[in-house]
Amino acid sequence: MHPNAGGRSLTVIDWLLDSDPSIRWQVMRDLTGAPAGAVAAERARVATEGLGARLLALQADDGRWGGAAWNRGWNSTMHVLMLLRDLGLDSTSDQARRAVGLVRDRVTWQGCGPQECDGNAFFEGEVEPCINGQVVAVGAYFGQGVRGIVDRLLFEQLPDGGWNCEAPNRSKRSSFNTTICVLEALLELERAGAATPEVTEARFRGQEYLLERRLFRRRSTGEVIERDRKGGGTWTRFAFPTWWHYDVLRGLEYLRGAGVTPDERVAEAIELVASKRDGDGRWPLETRYRGVMPVEADECEGRPSRWNTLHALRVLRWYDS
């Protein structure tokens, strides 16, 4: 708690509510127990105010953001749709239907992936499972058909239960980064009522991959995985947005969202999250990934982060309950 100008002590919840509609509606739903009608009304504002409205306004007439289906920055069509999903843009809103309809009807993978995918419509995806996982996640969230990519992802699951974009290069071990992208996609399919028993079985195997490694340890030796070999990210440092990068908080948020009953395999990860709370009960933005952001979605690195605080409070509540 910390005082405001009038001398009244403000709580962390006050601080979270004094923010963008995309954060407020999730705080109301997950942390304050607000009535469903009030939550829905606040969520509706994501399409017309703040971050959500600013992102929607950046879409070009050809349906794309950043001039591409995907790019190595963070301002492409796929990345903006992922961010709109994180914000909780109501998929049934007129604004979401219009924006996603333009993507479905006009955006292809021309020049954004392997040449053989140039003619693919956006929701047909490309070849890398980390990218296709994100396309499935937004496709399922926004009510689009992604069955073709899902079949491909199920075929690409490795014997250890996870996924890896390097599998075509003979990698036999899964990647935390790729696996979390696919897990979130399969969970989104289930939420949309579009899953099959095969999807659920694959998701359970994939989440066991994380749990067997206690979310950040090597299964073979038990040592902490300090740094991601591909992207250089540190899994014990929390970011928002995460994009394709895994971190411990993202792994816990997936488990919470999937309704997994916490057991001793997540206890150490929970302790890590709790240890990062500052004296005011907030969590910092510990890292930002290089790339062009379409709009700024959080504070500067090292400053208290409303997004990380929301996510941390949610997983701690999930664990305690």
Side-chain angles (χ1 to χ4, degrees):
M1 299 176 67
H2 49 96
N4 67 5
R8 185 177 73 85
S9 291
L10 294 176
T11 67
V12 173
I13 298 298
D14 291 329
W15 176 69
L16 289 172
L17 290 172
D18 182 23
S19 61
D20 191 79
S22 59
I23 295 176
R24 283 200 299 267
W25 84 264
Q26 296 184 64
V27 172
M28 293 167 66
R29 181 192 64 182
D30 299 328
L31 300 178
T32 72
V39 173
E42 190 62 39
R43 185 182 187 184
R45 297 173 64 185
V46 174
T48 59
E49 299 178 27
L51 293 173
R54 290 164 61 196
L55 287 170
L56 289 167
L58 293 175
Q59 186 179 28
D61 291 340
D62 64 8
R64 298 185 299 177
W65 281 270
W70 174 91
N71 62 22
R72 295 189 182 277
W74 313 122
N75 63 343
S76 74
T77 302
M78 188 197 77
H79 294 111
V80 172
L81 289 176
M82 282 291 287
L83 191 49
L84 287 169
R85 170 179 165 267
D86 288 337
L87 302 185
L89 174 68
D90 186 346
S91 63
T92 66
S93 66
D94 291 342
Q95 294 87 346
R97 290 182 185 277
R98 178 185 180 279
V100 176
L102 286 174
V103 174
R104 179 192 62 234
D105 297 339
R106 300 183 183 182
V107 179
T108 71
W109 289 86
Q110 178 74 37
C112 298
Q115 196 167 17
E116 72 252 35
C117 300
D118 278 355
N120 287 8
F122 179 82
F123 289 110
E124 293 175 334
E126 49 116 89
V127 299
E128 291 200 7
C130 62
I131 293 176
N132 282 340
Q134 293 171 85
V135 174
V136 169
V138 297
Y141 182 84
F142 288 111
Q144 302 302 304
V146 287
R147 186 70 234 181
I149 320 178
V150 173
D151 290 341
R152 180 180 184 123
L153 290 172
L154 296 182
F155 176 77
E156 292 171 334
Q157 190 170 26
L158 295 172
D160 63 9
W163 287 262
N164 193 335
C165 290
E166 298 300 323
N169 299 324
R170 300 185 178 182
S171 176
K172 302 296 184 184
R173 293 183 297 179
S174 293
S175 154
F176 277 68
N177 295 318
T178 305
T179 298
I180 195 63
C181 291
V182 178
L183 282 176
E184 291 173 350
L186 300 184
L187 179 60
E188 203 65 72
L189 276 172
E190 293 187 36
R191 288 171 171 161
T196 63
E198 292 76 18
V199 165
T200 302
E201 179 184 358
R203 186 175 66 78
F204 285 167
R205 288 177 57 208
Q207 73 186 30
E208 280 299 307
Y209 170 86
L210 296 183
L211 289 166
E212 287 172 353
R213 291 155 181 79
R214 298 177 179 264
L215 280 77
F216 66 122
R217 290 188 175 273
R218 299 189 190 282
R219 186 182 180 192
S220 56
T221 64
E223 67 179 312
V224 172
I225 303 173
E226 293 286 354
R227 188 169 292 275
D228 164 32
R229 287 180 298 176
K230 181 177 180 181
T234 303
W235 295 347
T236 57
R237 294 177 63 82
F238 305 150
F240 183 83
T242 51
W243 308 120
W244 58 266
H245 297 273
Y246 175 84
D247 65 42
V248 171
L249 184 56
R250 183 178 184 180
L252 288 168
E253 270 281 69
Y254 160 78
L255 295 173
R256 180 198 66 84
V260 174
T261 300
D263 61 30
E264 56 88 21
R265 293 176 295 177
V266 305
E268 188 179 19
I270 288 289
E271 289 176 5
L272 174 69
V273 171
S275 73
K276 293 175 179 284
R277 181 167 15 200
D278 69 17
D280 289 325
R282 303 176 295 182
W283 278 257
L285 184 68
E286 294 186 289
T287 190
R288 295 182 62 170
Y289 298 112
R290 293 182 180 178
V292 177
M293 284 287 292
V295 299
E296 290 301 329
D298 210 336
E299 298 291 339
C300 300
E301 189 172 334
R303 297 279 299 165
S305 160
R306 286 182 170 86
W307 285 106
N308 280 354
T309 299
L310 166 63
H311 296 158
L313 288 174
R314 283 201 300 217
V315 300
L316 293 179
R317 178 170 292 197
W318 160 74
Y319 184 75
D320 289 341
S321 64

